Amino acid sequence: MEQNRLRLPAFLAKVGARLPEPFVSLHFVAGLEVARLMHWLNPPEELEGKVFLIRVEDLGVASRFRVMAGRFRPCMGQDEDLSLSACAADFLVMMQGEMDADTLFFQRRLRISGDTELGLVVKNWLDTEERPAWLRRLAGALLPG
């Protein structure tokens, strides 16, 4: 399985690391909000007021956001309650529903830090959230093999 993982050029992480987190967060949160408005991704109540950090390691980017009134909002300079870090390919297989967060975590491909109970809420939410067919196809098209 390891040989089938998407490998991004190393220079992308160097470029991504130069992008300001607020810039990345605005774009990332815009995508989350579109998904929410289309009823593809609805945050559970337990996420209300919590701050999250998503780091895509091989792209060198990070996005910090919170859930407020059931909506995703960028936030800057606040400590996160929960942090998730992985490479782009691993986030894609999780989005596609081909691999769950537990598997990625135990294979040390997904790093989680912060509030453990909140991590379980997010994991269960993502594992049960129905993915639209086009998202599964898109993620599948981006992954080799």
Side-chain angles (χ1 to χ4, degrees):
M1 176 97 162
E2 186 72 25
Q3 67 273 14
N4 290 335
R5 290 181 66 205
L6 178 66
R7 301 264 184 227
L8 297 176
F11 79 89
L12 287 177
K14 291 178 183 177
V15 172
R18 295 184 180 274
L19 294 174
E21 187 181 304
F23 176 80
V24 174
S25 294
L26 286 171
H27 290 83
F28 184 77
V29 169
L32 290 174
E33 269 301 291
V34 166
R36 185 188 65 77
L37 290 169
M38 299 298 290
H39 305 287
W40 296 328
L41 191 64
N42 297 301
E45 281 182 25
E46 296 90 347
L47 303 189
E48 187 65 30
K50 304 297 183 184
V51 176
F52 301 90
L53 177 72
I54 305 292
R55 186 178 312 281
V56 184
E57 296 164 347
D58 53 347
L59 290 179
V61 297
S63 175
R64 192 177 311 265
F65 62 95
R66 74 173 36 216
V67 176
M68 294 181 63
R71 296 179 173 158
F72 299 101
R73 296 291 180 240
C75 64
M76 312 307 153
Q78 297 175 353
D79 291 337
E80 64 273 4
D81 295 294
L82 184 68
S83 172
L84 302 171
S85 299
C87 70
D90 292 330
F91 279 121
L92 283 171
V93 295
M94 199 165 41
M95 283 173 34
Q96 189 181 18
E98 291 296 315
M99 197 171 290
D100 65 19
D102 281 339
T103 302
L104 291 169
F105 177 79
F106 288 115
Q107 290 179 358
R108 297 180 185 194
R109 293 164 52 185
L110 174 66
R111 279 150 300 291
I112 303 170
S113 61
D115 183 333
T116 310
E117 286 183 43
L118 182 60
L120 286 172
V121 169
V122 169
K123 181 204 103 45
N124 291 333
W125 169 51
L126 293 176
D127 286 348
T128 60
E129 194 73 20
E130 184 65 30
R131 285 133 177 104
W134 69 265
L135 179 61
R136 290 191 306 271
R137 287 191 304 273
L138 174 64
L142 294 173
L143 294 171

